[in-house]
Amino acid sequence: MVDEHNELDDMTLYALGLIPEEAMQAVADGGDPIGHQDQWSYEELCGMDFRAILSADCYRLDEATGLYSDLRETEAGLRYLYDNALNLNVTGIIRKKADSQTNILTGSICYPASLTEHLMGKGDGAEVVQAQMEDPSTDLLTGLPFASNTGSLSAAEKEEELRAYLEGLDETGKADAFVTVSSLPDPAMTEEQVSAALEGVTREEMEQTLAAMLGQQMSVSQSELEEYLAGMDDEALKENFSQLLTAQFEAQYAAQAAARLALLPAAQKAAALGAAMEDWTADEWDRYYDELMVFSDSSYEENLRAMGWVDRDAPSAIHLYSASFEDKDLVKASIDQYNEGVDEVQQIRYTDYVGLMMSAVTSIIDAITYVLVAFVGISLVVSSIMIGVITLISVQERTKEIGILRAIGASKRDVSSMFNAETVIIGFGAGLLGVAVTVLLCIPINAILHQVTGIGSLNAYLPWQVGAVLVGISVLLTLIAGVIPSRSAARKDPVVALRSE
């Protein structure tokens, strides 16, 4: 998939084998690519041959060891895998339309879903995957047990596994195992020694000893360590001091045992291990299991992934696409409702990119709206003042008319109501005119919006409910602005008003 200039980035060119590794390294070092072609034709790209080496095909059973070996570790094995790999070809070159607003494809190298299904199918039926599933406790690549499975083993199962492991060791391995076991003090002895060492030790002595030991292990000043230890309560300080004494005693015991057994030949130590195994208790088998067993650096799940198996019921990510903002809100609400009823570990983590963008856009629009509202508010105040001034001038110019009305029997209320009615009519007419102008202006505004954005559904319009509210606001403002002038007209003396010219 190329960009609007029919170009690909350097990393994609390197992935397709179109530029050599030296040129890519030059780009990484900040220089210019050297020695590679700048242009490729459609025929050149579609004529290239690529190979997909499936992880499931990389492992072969070694009949001698009963384990599976990775053919990729040797040049000959890698060549064999390449010669028998899945052939892939570029079937087309695509580019996003210039007027397209969205692009759901990611990256520059695209492939159909059928390829993904094919790769997962090959992983499901691979021999190495099936063998690993039949023996989930042992790493079929190293022959070592998985450490993650030890927590579910019973004491009898641990004894069986450890016995089989020790019997499978050579003479040197058995001798080393005997030294390791002999270097482990009895827990009761350790507890007794630590308890005896704790008797009569004051808090100050504990702090001094711990500060000295921690100072050797950490790059922290002595004053900081003393302040840290002084803030501990007695129980926590005693626990830390006990751990220090335990580690020191175990180290001393192991050093003495290693020195004592150093002169014994390996055959004698191996024989001593076999004799000692017959007298081990269930607790000792359980304790020695963690000390002597060697576990795989991988896990059962990691092995299956490396072998090309994919759990279809546990995808790494899910992309949800909604047809409208309303649908997006429904999806988000459903996920939030699910998260409320489950533990934090089981909650669904999601990123609402549209929501984040809309939040930023909404904040900008709100700021603009507040500014426009402020301008509108100022305009309304000025307009109200002008209406009041105009009405007041009208009252002064019609003083004789007011005197005649009062002379023929009009009350002050009638005069005031007459001017209020006039201001209401003015406000109603002005509101209708403003709404009509707004509706007419929406026509050219929509045409401009459609031309600039290319979005046919984006329209500016004035709902009739909003128009009615705007007319009502216009009437109310003019009525308020005419209250003072109308009262001024009602208070005029008829005799004085008749004498005015």
Side-chain angles (χ1 to χ4, degrees), residues 278-298:
E278 303 303 324
D279 298 329
W280 286 352
T281 63
D283 291 339
E284 288 176 323
W285 279 105
D286 185 74
R287 185 159 60 97
Y288 296 153
Y289 180 86
D290 296 328
E291 298 292 339
L292 297 176
M293 285 293 294
V294 179
F295 300 101
S296 172
D297 294 332
S298 181

Side-chain angles (χ1 to χ4, degrees), residues 178-186 189-190 246-262 291:
F178 180 71
V179 173
T180 300
V181 171
S182 301
S183 301
L184 298 174
D186 184 81
M189 180 192 302
T190 303
T246 301
Q248 288 180 339
F249 175 74
E250 291 177 347
Q252 293 173 359
Y253 188 91
Q256 294 173 359
R260 185 174 63 253
L261 298 174
E291 298 292 339

Side-chain angles (χ1 to χ4, degrees), residues 356-366:
L356 293 175
M357 291 187 293
M358 290 303 300
S359 176
V361 173
T362 302
S363 299
I364 297 174
I365 293 177
D366 288 343

Side-chain angles (χ1 to χ4, degrees), residues 10-62:
D10 292 326
M11 184 60 68
T12 304
L13 294 175
Y14 173 69
L16 292 172
L18 297 176
I19 59 176
E21 185 176 356
E22 295 80 9
M24 194 62 198
Q25 186 62 43
V27 174
D29 294 338
D32 296 327
I34 55 176
H36 75 82
Q37 188 175 346
D38 291 328
Q39 296 182 356
W40 293 267
S41 66
Y42 178 85
E43 290 75 15
E44 286 179 309
L45 293 178
C46 293
M48 297 183 66
D49 182 30
F50 300 92
R51 305 293 177 92
I53 299 178
L54 308 185
S55 299
D57 296 336
C58 296
Y59 300 94
R60 292 293 186 273
L61 178 64
D62 187 346

Side-chain angles (χ1 to χ4, degrees), residues 66-79:
L67 302 176
Y68 285 84
S69 59
D70 191 348
L71 298 181
R72 292 171 293 188
E73 296 176 354
T74 62
E75 288 292 335
L78 194 59
R79 169 55 60 180

Side-chain angles (χ1 to χ4, degrees), residues 123-184:
D124 292 341
E127 176 188 348
V128 63
V129 173
Q130 297 299 325
Q132 184 65 82
M133 288 184 171
E134 293 175 1
D135 188 6
S137 62
T138 306
D139 186 351
L140 297 186
L141 305 181
T142 61
L144 299 174
F146 293 117
S148 57
N149 295 329
T150 59
S152 59
L153 297 178
S154 63
E157 291 173 333
K158 288 185 177 181
E159 178 181 348
E160 181 181 357
E161 284 194 11
L162 181 56
R163 186 183 293 276
Y165 169 73
L166 294 175
E167 291 176 352
L169 296 175
D170 55 14
E171 185 177 89
T172 302
K174 291 180 179 179
D176 293 339
F178 180 71
V179 173
T180 300
V181 171
S182 301
S183 301
L184 298 174

